[in-house]
Every structure is written in C-alpha cells, then in structure tokens.
C-alpha cells in the first residue's frame, strides 16, 4: 500500500514561518519496496528544524561557546505547545484503519489515486432495500479492482439494488463471470447479478433476488395458451385459404362448408403452416444449442387476405446470458422461416409456369411486393397481362410466409428484428430505431392496411421492452456469422413489404424521349 500526501495544506504552516520537519510515514502492512507516503506537517514540540539544520546549529553553538542543552531549553521556553492539526489527526486515523485491515489496504494500493480519494460509496448511507452489511460484504468480496470498482449504490425498482462504477476488465464477459462466481460463493443462490448499461451508457451492476422473474407461466397455462392460439390460427388459416369458417361459426345453418372445400384448402393452409413451423423450429434449435429455454410459441391468428397468421410470439424462460446468445436465437427463426418460404415460392412459380396452377389471384396484386413482382414477371411473363392468373398454392403459401418473416424482422418491440437490433447495436440504439420503425409503419398504414394491423399488434403484444440479458456490455464477436446473416435479413422487409412502383414506371415510359439537339 502506498498512501499519498493529503491534498489539503497543513493549517499550521499557514500560521507560522518556522521551519518544518518531513516525517516519512508507512503502515506496517505496506511492503518495504512500495513508495512511502510523505506527509508534510508541523514540527513536533521542541523540534522545529530538520536534521541538516540541527547539525549546522550544533556546530555554531560549539564555535560560539553556547552549550547545546541550554539552547534547546531556550527554544522550549519560547515555543508553546499547540494541539495537532486536523490534517495530522486524519492521517493518524487513516493509518490506524489501514493497519487494522491489511487486505483492504493492499487492495486499495492497487487502485489509482482517483479510486482511493473517496473510498466511501455514494448512497451507502441511504435507505436501501438491501442491508448495509450485505452492501459492504458485496463491495469487499464480490466487486474489486479486477472486475468492477463501485462508486455509488442506489435502489432498483421494488427489491433490487444498482451498483454504479467502472468495469476494470477489458472483456466485460470475463468481469461478469468473476462477479457471478464470487456472488455464488459469498451469497449462495439468494441473489442474481446483471451487468448492464444505464441511460447514459455507463456500466451498471444490478442485484436482484433469485426469485425475480417477469411473466413466469405455469406449465398448465403455457400449454392451454399455446393450444388456444394455435386453434384460432388454424381457423384463420383455413379462412384465408378460401373456406368461410368465420361465417360458418357464426351462422352454420346458412353457410355451407363441404368436405371437398376443406380438402382443396389444405395444400395452401398446410404449406403456410410449414413456414410457421420452420420459423419456430429455428428458434428452438438455436436455443437448445445455446443452453436457454423457450416457452411454447403463441401463433397469432390473422385471417384476412391470403395471410392466415401473423406468426408466433416466442418468449424466453428466464434471462438470456448475453447479447451474442440473443443474436443467435433471434436470427435462427427468420432464417429458417425465410428459407422455407423462399423454397415454396420458387417451387410454386415453377409449377405455375408449367400450367399446374390451382389458385386464381389478381394479376395486379403481385405488385404489392417488390420481390414477388420481379420473380412473377420473370416466371409468368405474358400471363400477367390478364386480370387474373392461375398459380400454385405453394406460390401463395411461400409469399405469405415471406410476409410473416419480413414483419417479424422489423426492428421494434420484442419482434425478432427488435432483438437482433439490441444484440447488434445495444439497448439505447435499439429503442431509438424501434420508435422510428413504429412511426414509419403508422405513416405507411395510410396506404397499406397490413401495416395498420401490424402497428396494432406491436403496440398490443410486442411493444417490449426486451428482458435484459445477464451481461449486456459485450457485443457479439465479429467472427460470429450471424452478424452478417442479420444484416442480410434486414433487407427482407424492404424487398417483400414495399410495393413494386408500377405507377412510377408507367409514368416514366410515357415521358417523351429527350432530343439530343
């Protein structure tokens, strides 16, 4: 331990012009090789000169014939004893405390001067939801110079505590691993710790009871919710495939539904559900690989146009370890779902161009999607000149699957796109992007009713915020291939949801050719 000189000048030095003595001070717990703390203070009583000055005075006394003892007695009579200054008393108290607790002093010696100037934690004396004994125990045994140096503490919500300070490790993941291990050793399973960023993007450690969970579902509730949402989505999918089930359920005696109608609708509805299941299977496989658990997905019914469902709501059981795991799980669903939907779309286009279409759609309707319009024009060609065109059910199912995955990739709320944005850019940037996305959807809803329904769904069910990861400071590794996959997937909403600009192209064709002269 190496103590620095006190920052305040000794008041006694400001009151007298007598020479002072430099007293080297070093507690017993400090190794001899460490730099000593040099404390400038007033001279002790009867000793107002340093060693060199004293030797010089002795020589002069001998030359002048004045005995040294008489000289010292005169000086003692002239000097009146004064009480020790506040600075000296404070130094002595600090030395006694340091000698009484050598481990704490040794740890403080490793800290820079800024960390030792105010060793007390700001807010430690406030009315905290955790006892002061626990706070001090955590500070001395869990936090430290190799993990996080705590500077302040305050309450968090109803039963948590926030520690603010500086992360001392270059890799936040290593710091969090040490914090979690030490917390387990000191406090057992009573508490759980999170390493996050506050609103000012400064590192913050949040301590919560282990029982703190948000929205925990019992197994029975989880199953019946999944079954109920799935049943409604099956009905809405058959409705989108051409069977008037909604009308039949409300008025079964005047709405005939034959077995043949159901058989003819099954290829379209079944292929569409294949895209939904592929999406959820991607999440499940990635979660199992990362060691996290998911609730059963809740498939949200839609039932208008050719869209039988809005996709599923996938929730985590507990907290995700870090942003890299969140990225891996969030990317897997849209990747698998988009791959299955794209494969069905291309296969359906091939069957449609071969004259094996079984569904009739409006030709201008292909212009609702930029990507689908380009592919349809390339595969169907002159057939699109007719008001209606015969296409395969697989083509319609693949198109609907691409729309669902593109909507899930919007960077807002608890959608897959919102989770990807948090994993790649951080919570603060993801929240800003999410607000802009909702505003853009609201503006776009004036011309596209699908955008209006999706805004309502986001605000009602997926508005967030996303549950925090246990460690949110570290970004996903650059070597993680899912970073590039995420960038590519963000192009899907632009390609699928934006319409093909037919009116602008026709307007450009009608413009006269500019004359070169």
């Amino acid at each position: 331990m190496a103590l620095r000189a006190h920052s305040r000048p000794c008041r006694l030095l400001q009151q007298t012009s007598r020479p002072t003595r430099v007293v080297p001070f070093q507690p017993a717990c400090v190794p001899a090789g460490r730099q000593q703390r040099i404390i400038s203070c007033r001279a002790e009583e009867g000793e107002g000169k340093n060693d060199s000055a004293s030797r010089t005075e002795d020589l002069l006394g001998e030359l002048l014939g004045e005995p040294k003892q008489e000289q010292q007695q005169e000086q003692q009579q002239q000097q009146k004893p004064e009480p020790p200054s506040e600075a000296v008393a404070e130094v002595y108290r600090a030395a006694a405390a340091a000698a009484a607790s050598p481990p704490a002093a040794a740890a403080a010696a490793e800290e820079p001067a800024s960390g030792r100037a105010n060793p007390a934690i700001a807010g430690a004396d406030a009315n905290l939801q955790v006892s002061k004994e626990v706070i001090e125990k955590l500070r001395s045994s869990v936090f430290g110079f190799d993990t996080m140096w705590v500077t302040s503490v305050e309450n968090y919500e109803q039963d948590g505590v926030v520690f603010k300070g500086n992360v001392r490790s270059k890799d936040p993941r290593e710091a969090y691993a040490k914090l979690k291990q030490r917390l387990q050793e000191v406090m057992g399973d009573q508490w759980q710790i999170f390493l996050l960023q506050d609103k000012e993007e400064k590192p913050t450690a949040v301590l919560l009871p282990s029982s703190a969970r948000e929205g925990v579902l019992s197994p029975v509730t989880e199953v019946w919710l999944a079954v109920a949402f799935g049943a409604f989505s099956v009905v809405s999918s058959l409705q989108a495939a051409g069977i008037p089930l909604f009308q039949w359920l409300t008025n079964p005696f005047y709405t005939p539904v034959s077995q043949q109608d159901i058989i003819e609708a099954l290829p379209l509805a079944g292929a569409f559900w294949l895209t939904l299941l592929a999406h959820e299977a991607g999440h499940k496989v990635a979660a199992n690989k990362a060691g996290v658990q998911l609730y059963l997905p809740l498939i949200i019914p839609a039932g208008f146009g050719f869209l039988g469902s809005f996709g599923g709501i996938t929730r985590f059981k507990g907290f995700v370890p870090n942003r890299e795991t969140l990225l891996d799980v969030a990317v897997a669903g849209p990747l698998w779902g988009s791959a299955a939907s794209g494969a069905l779309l291309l296969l359906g286009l091939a069957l449609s161009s071969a004259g094996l279409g079984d569904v009739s759609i409006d030709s201008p309707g292909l212009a609702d999607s930029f990507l689908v319009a380009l592919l349809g024009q390339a595969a169907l060609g002159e057939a699109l000149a007719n008001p209606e065109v015969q296409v395969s059910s697989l083509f319609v199912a693949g198109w609907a699957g691409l729309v669902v995955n593109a909507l899930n990739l919007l960077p807002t709320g608890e959608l897959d796109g919102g989770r990807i944005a948090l994993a790649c850019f951080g919570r603060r940037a993801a929240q800003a992007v999410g607000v802009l996305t909702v505003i853009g959807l609201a503006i776009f809803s004036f011309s596209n009713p699908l955008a209006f329904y999706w805004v309502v769904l986001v605000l009602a069910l997926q508005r967030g915020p996303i549950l925090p990861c246990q460690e949110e400071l570290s970004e996903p590794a650059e070597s993680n291939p899912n970073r590039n996959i995420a960038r590519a997937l963000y192009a899907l909403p632009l390609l699928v949801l934006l319409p093909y600009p037919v009116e602008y192209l026709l307007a450009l064709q009608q413009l006269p050719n500019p004359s070169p002269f």
Side-chain angles (χ1 to χ4, degrees), residues 232-247 272 300-311 404 450 453:
F232 280 113
S233 297
V234 169
V235 173
S236 63
S237 299
L238 293 174
Q239 176 78 20
I243 302 178
L245 285 182
F246 289 159
Q247 293 83 351
F272 175 68
I300 307 301
F304 64 92
F306 60 85
L307 203 61
S309 171
F310 281 122
V404 171
L450 181 61
Y453 285 105

Side-chain angles (χ1 to χ4, degrees), residues 117-139:
N118 186 16
I121 302 178
D125 296 332
N127 187 17
L128 298 176
Q129 298 169 153
V130 179
S131 64
K132 296 180 181 179
E133 292 77 9
V134 174
I135 296 294
E136 186 61 30
K137 190 175 183 180
L138 292 173
R139 182 200 173 203

Side-chain angles (χ1 to χ4, degrees), residues 268 271-272 275 306-309 337-338 340-349 361-376 380 384 389 391-407 450 492 495-500:
L268 175 56
F272 175 68
T275 65
F306 60 85
L307 203 61
S309 171
S338 300
S341 302
L344 290 177
L345 179 71
L346 295 178
L347 180 59
L349 280 176
I361 63 173
D362 295 334
S363 297
L366 296 179
D368 291 340
S369 172
F370 184 83
L371 178 63
V372 173
L374 290 179
L375 295 176
L380 302 177
L384 296 179
V389 61
V391 296
S392 171
S393 299
L394 300 182
F395 168 76
V396 179
W399 185 3
L402 286 178
V403 171
V404 171
N405 285 276
L407 290 172
L450 181 61
L492 189 65
L495 295 174
V496 175
L497 300 181
L498 293 182
Y500 189 81

Side-chain angles (χ1 to χ4, degrees), residues 94-380:
S101 57
E110 300 293 336
E111 293 301 321
S114 60
R116 288 190 308 241
N118 186 16
I121 302 178
D125 296 332
N127 187 17
L128 298 176
Q129 298 169 153
V130 179
S131 64
K132 296 180 181 179
E133 292 77 9
V134 174
I135 296 294
E136 186 61 30
K137 190 175 183 180
L138 292 173
R139 182 200 173 203
S140 60
S141 303
V142 177
F143 299 98
F145 65 91
D146 60 338
T147 54
M148 181 176 180
W149 190 252
V150 177
T151 58
S152 65
V153 58
E154 58 189 45
N155 288 325
Y156 178 78
E157 294 187 352
Q158 298 180 353
D159 50 3
V161 177
V162 174
F163 296 87
K164 296 185 178 181
N166 302 313
V167 176
R168 297 303 178 89
S169 177
K170 294 182 179 180
D171 189 356
R173 285 170 289 196
E174 296 180 1
Y176 177 77
K178 294 179 181 179
L179 290 174
K180 187 176 182 179
Q181 180 182 0
R182 294 174 183 175
L183 181 65
Q184 178 73 21
E185 295 173 354
V186 175
M187 306 298 296
D189 297 330
Q190 299 178 5
W191 300 91
Q192 55 183 337
I193 192 168
F194 300 83
L195 197 57
L196 313 173
Q197 284 183 338
D198 59 9
K199 296 180 180 180
E200 299 177 356
E201 297 186 350
K202 294 182 179 180
T204 300
V206 180
L207 193 71
L208 292 175
S210 299
S211 58
R213 293 288 189 274
E214 294 192 19
V216 179
L217 298 178
S218 65
V220 176
T221 304
E222 176 189 0
V223 171
W224 77 257
L225 278 177
V227 171
F229 275 87
F232 280 113
S233 297
V234 169
V235 173
S236 63
S237 299
L238 293 174
Q239 176 78 20
I243 302 178
L245 285 182
F246 289 159
Q247 293 83 351
W248 180 80
L249 291 174
T250 56
N251 195 354
F253 299 102
Y254 296 93
T255 307
V257 175
S258 63
Q259 184 178 2
Q260 185 64 28
D261 294 334
I262 298 177
I263 294 175
E264 292 178 353
L266 283 179
L268 175 56
F272 175 68
W273 268 82
L274 180 63
T275 65
L276 299 179
L277 295 178
H279 184 110
E280 301 304 328
H283 285 314
K284 185 64 175 179
V285 172
N288 292 339
K289 185 178 179 179
V292 296
Q293 295 182 343
L294 301 175
Y295 285 110
L296 293 175
L298 304 179
I299 308 300
I300 307 301
F304 64 92
F306 60 85
L307 203 61
S309 171
F310 281 122
I313 296 177
T314 306
R315 300 183 60 193
F316 291 96
K317 290 183 178 181
F319 299 97
V320 182
N322 48 54
R323 287 162 56 182
E324 188 158 10
T325 302
L326 181 64
L327 175 65
D328 295 339
V329 177
V331 163
L335 179 62
W336 286 40
S338 300
S341 302
L344 290 177
L345 179 71
L346 295 178
L347 180 59
L349 280 176
L351 295 176
S352 301
S353 61
L356 300 178
D358 57 342
V359 177
S360 178
I361 63 173
D362 295 334
S363 297
L366 296 179
D368 291 340
S369 172
F370 184 83
L371 178 63
V372 173
L374 290 179
L375 295 176
Q377 180 66 32
L380 302 177

Side-chain angles (χ1 to χ4, degrees), residues 1 3 25-32 94-102 105:
M1 171 179 175
L3 298 176
F25 176 81
Q26 181 179 8
C29 61
V30 179
S101 57

